[in-house]
Amino acid sequence: MEAYNVVPEPGGRTFQRFSVNTNESLRFEPCEDSCPSPTGAEDGRDDVFEKGECEGEIASIRNQLQGKVAEMENFAGHLEEIFLTVEENFGRQEQHLEQHYNDVLQTLSQRYDDRETGLQEEKKSKLESLYKQLVACGQALDTSKELIETAQEVYRCQDERLFLKVARLGLLGEFAKEDIDLSLSTSLEFSTPLADLSDVKTMMDSINVVPAPSAPVINPQLPNSATQTSLHVCWSLFSDDTVEYYELYYRPVLEDTPADSTCAPQESKVKVKETHCTVTDLLHNAQYELWVTATNTTGISPASEKALYMTVPSPPAIKQRECSSCPEAALIRWESGNTNPVDSYIVELSETGTVGAESNITESIVAVPTCQCLIQLQAGRQYLISVRAVNIGGPSDRSDAITISTTGTFFYLLKDTAHPCLSMSEDGFTIFYGDEELPITAMAFEDNTFTSLIPVRGRHYWEVEVDDETEFRVGVAYEDTERDGYLGANGSSWCMRHIRTPSR
């Protein structure tokens, strides 16, 4: 059920104030001159304020300690990342050195095998040549032995002249004429050609020449890795690369940037030795384009693929005039205040024992998709409520907190739905009837919808203050009530009407 603006009769002015409470039936009651305290707290409760101040001081100290613990944990995590990075770099260099020495040893072993094979073949060739020459010498000796024996036999059987004649003209003469080759058929020395170790030398020299690294791989943004003005960026490298330092480049991504490159945002860079870096002094809830290069003594690697990172959003702004409450719940509305999209919102609330004294009871409602949230509360309590905006970078700071009471609420009058003859005060609680009289049909609306003021269904009542001399109608209506008719003058609304007559 909706609260409907009071439309005064001409000739007077109306003061209107709304509050909500529960009752067994719908009724209208006059307001006292002084409004009850929205917190329901009585005067003279100094002990409550002292307790609240003590609890507030304890909460402040606890928050400071939690902040220091978080800083120490972040520093320890940073040291651990540096340790792992150094260990990884030395591991890569050790593997690189071992691989090079293995390659050199393998090459030398191959050269040794080739040289040994050549020597064995040369040895075999020389031995075969000497063996052939030895066989030829043996054959010559056998021939000489046969001739000597033949000569001796002739000498014994015949006279000396016949022997000399036979020896001179026979086989002995022919054998004596032959030339005997007494030189070796092969050289006794082995050829020792110089081994070509130029490739081995090149490999040995390459141990001291580190190849240029390949392009790093920048990692996607991790959740909760940013603040409003900083980004924590990580990247990785191939295991066989040696790097002395990295250069991280970044620049904001602006939707209204012209295509002309001269108007593009200025890129910045930071030089680091680890595979991670925290970039500071950035814009709120802004997209940034990042890429990284690796450098060693040989040269610079190609740039990595570009990645998009986002800083956390700016705090939302709660629309206090559009927030309402009743004993069981409160409807909170806010506006994002960010140009780039926000993934979700977090509504945080804490119960207050007294005004400004925050209790230890804190609740959070996460993953709120839109800019409003209906919160179930306990009756007769007072709460501090704030909102955070969340994107992949993390949650924003808290918005300015508002106080919500479940003992009743003040409803703001809706200026957009008021009749043109009505004027509204700046605080949104009072309306005045103007001098100009316009018919009810002068109200022009794009649609017939009302703004929802009551967060939950149930029994409610409103308290309205008016001038005694004012003619007015005050009542309730369904959402589909036609807006160009009088309140209570149709079947979808009901009202109480105050008319001035001569007797009253």
Side-chain angles (χ1 to χ4, degrees):
M1 187 174 292
E2 302 296 333
Y4 195 85
N5 287 335
V6 174
V7 182
E9 302 289 346
R13 61 176 190 165
T14 297
F15 297 91
Q16 188 176 17
R17 184 185 62 188
F18 295 102
S19 66
V20 170
N21 205 336
T22 58
N23 202 350
E24 295 301 326
S25 61
L26 182 66
R27 72 177 187 272
F28 295 89
E29 296 180 356
C31 293
E32 300 291 339
D33 292 337
S34 61
C35 298
S37 171
T39 64
E42 299 178 357
D43 296 333
R45 301 292 298 275
D46 294 339
D47 56 338
V48 177
F49 287 97
E50 292 177 358
K51 182 179 179 182
E53 292 177 359
C54 182
E55 290 179 352
E57 184 176 356
I58 293 175
S60 176
I61 295 175
R62 183 180 69 248
N63 293 334
Q64 291 179 2
L65 291 176
Q66 290 177 349
K68 290 185 178 296
V69 170
E71 290 179 359
M72 294 176 65
E73 289 178 349
N74 292 335
F75 182 69
H78 181 64
L79 288 179
E80 184 178 1
E81 289 178 351
I82 293 177
F83 177 83
L84 293 176
T85 301
V86 172
E87 186 178 21
E88 183 181 355
N89 286 336
F90 274 101
R92 285 199 300 266
Q93 293 207 18
E94 184 179 4
Q95 292 178 359
H96 177 75
L97 186 62
E98 182 179 1
Q99 181 65 34
H100 272 74
Y101 274 111
N102 288 337
D103 293 343
V104 171
L105 292 177
Q106 183 178 1
T107 302
L108 289 175
S109 176
Q110 183 66 35
R111 293 291 186 278
Y112 171 81
D113 293 341
D114 295 343
R115 186 77 181 109
E116 184 183 20
T117 301
L119 288 174
Q120 291 292 341
E121 292 178 352
E122 186 177 3
K123 172 185 173 183
K124 179 180 178 181
S125 175
K126 288 183 179 295
L127 290 177
E128 289 178 352
S129 178
L130 291 173
Y131 178 76
K132 290 178 180 180
Q133 190 173 15
L134 182 61
V135 169
C137 290
Q139 293 175 351
L141 289 175
D142 291 341
T143 303
S144 299
K145 183 178 179 181
E146 292 177 356
L147 289 175
I148 292 174
E149 291 176 352
T150 302
Q152 289 178 349
E153 183 67 24
V154 172
Y155 180 77
R156 284 196 300 269
C157 298
Q158 299 179 7
D159 58 5
E160 182 176 355
R161 285 189 306 170
L162 180 61
F163 170 76
L164 291 175
K165 181 178 179 182
V166 171
R168 185 174 61 250
L169 300 177
L171 297 175
L172 290 176
E174 294 178 358
F175 182 76
K177 293 179 181 178
E178 293 181 359
D179 294 330
I180 300 175
D181 186 7
L182 299 180
S183 62
L184 294 177
S185 61
T186 182
S187 173
L188 298 180
E189 295 181 357
F190 287 87
S191 60
T192 55
L194 296 177
D196 184 10
L197 300 178
S198 58
D199 53 348
V200 177
K201 184 176 183 303
T202 302
M203 295 175 65
M204 293 295 294
D205 294 339
S206 66
I207 295 178
N208 299 323
V209 178
V210 180
S214 54
V217 179
I218 194 164
N219 300 338
Q221 184 175 10
L222 296 175
N224 301 320
S225 61
T227 66
Q228 285 191 347
T229 58
S230 67
L231 290 171
H232 187 69
V233 188
C234 300
W235 56 90
S236 56
L237 195 69
F238 290 104
S239 59
D240 56 348
D241 283 340
T242 301
V243 177
E244 291 190 1
Y245 62 88
Y246 301 90
E247 287 184 322
L248 176 66
Y249 297 82
Y250 60 95
R251 64 185 175 194
V253 178
L254 304 178
E255 295 181 357
D256 55 351
T257 302
D260 188 2
S261 60
T262 59
C263 300
Q266 182 69 29
E267 67 181 39
S268 304
K269 72 175 179 178
V270 59
K271 181 178 177 180
V272 294
K273 290 184 176 296
E274 298 82 20
T275 56
H276 58 87
C277 177
T278 299
V279 185
T280 58
D281 298 330
L282 305 179
L283 302 175
H284 295 188
N285 192 36
Q287 282 190 337
Y288 278 84
E289 194 176 41
L290 302 103
W291 63 97
V292 65
T293 61
T295 304
N296 59 19
T297 54
T298 304
I300 303 175
S301 73
S304 67
E305 295 289 336
K306 295 180 180 178
L308 289 179
Y309 277 54
M310 286 190 67
T311 55
V312 302
S314 301
I318 298 179
K319 299 178 180 179
Q320 188 163 5
R321 290 198 173 193
E322 297 185 18
C323 297
S324 57
S325 66
C326 66
E328 295 86 7
L331 179 64
I332 310 300
R333 288 175 173 165
W334 60 87
E335 58 183 357
S336 172
N338 293 278
T339 304
N340 289 312
V342 173
D343 295 339
S344 63
Y345 299 91
I346 300 175
V347 180
E348 298 179 343
L349 62 148
S350 59
E351 185 180 340
T352 59
T354 58
V355 177
E358 184 177 348
S359 72
N360 293 330
I361 304 174
T362 301
E363 298 180 15
S364 297
I365 303 173
V366 300
V368 179
T370 59
C371 291
Q372 69 176 28
C373 181
L374 180 63
I375 309 172
Q376 300 297 324
L377 302 175
Q378 297 183 15
R381 306 293 178 88
Q382 180 174 276
Y383 298 87
L384 285 177
I385 298 180
S386 59
V387 183
R388 296 174 183 261
V390 181
N391 62 12
I392 190 173
S396 70
D397 293 337
R398 292 185 179 91
S399 66
D400 293 335
I402 64 170
T403 302
I404 291 292
S405 175
T406 54
T407 57
T409 187
F410 292 99
F411 285 117
Y412 294 90
L413 300 174
L414 304 178
K415 184 176 181 180
D416 296 336
T417 62
H419 191 275
C421 291
L422 300 178
S423 300
M424 193 175 298
S425 61
E426 292 185 359
D427 60 7
F429 293 132
T430 307
I431 57 174
F432 307 91
Y433 190 83
D435 296 333
E436 184 180 3
E437 294 187 10
L438 295 174
I440 192 67
T441 55
M443 300 176 68
F445 299 97
E446 295 181 358
D447 53 46
N448 273 335
T449 59
F450 288 87
T451 300
S452 177
L453 296 178
I454 304 303
V456 294
R457 293 180 180 272
R459 294 178 177 179
H460 310 278
Y461 77 88
W462 290 262
E463 297 177 357
V464 184
E465 291 183 353
V466 296
D467 284 348
D468 293 339
E469 302 299 323
T470 301
E471 293 184 347
F472 62 88
R473 298 170 187 248
V474 58
V476 293
Y478 287 103
E479 288 182 345
D480 58 354
T481 299
E482 296 293 333
R483 308 300 298 276
D484 56 356
Y486 285 99
L487 184 65
N490 50 50
S492 59
S493 64
W494 176 88
C495 78
M496 296 179 64
R497 183 180 181 188
H498 176 254
I499 303 174
R500 296 173 59 192
T501 66
S503 62
R504 57 173 294 190

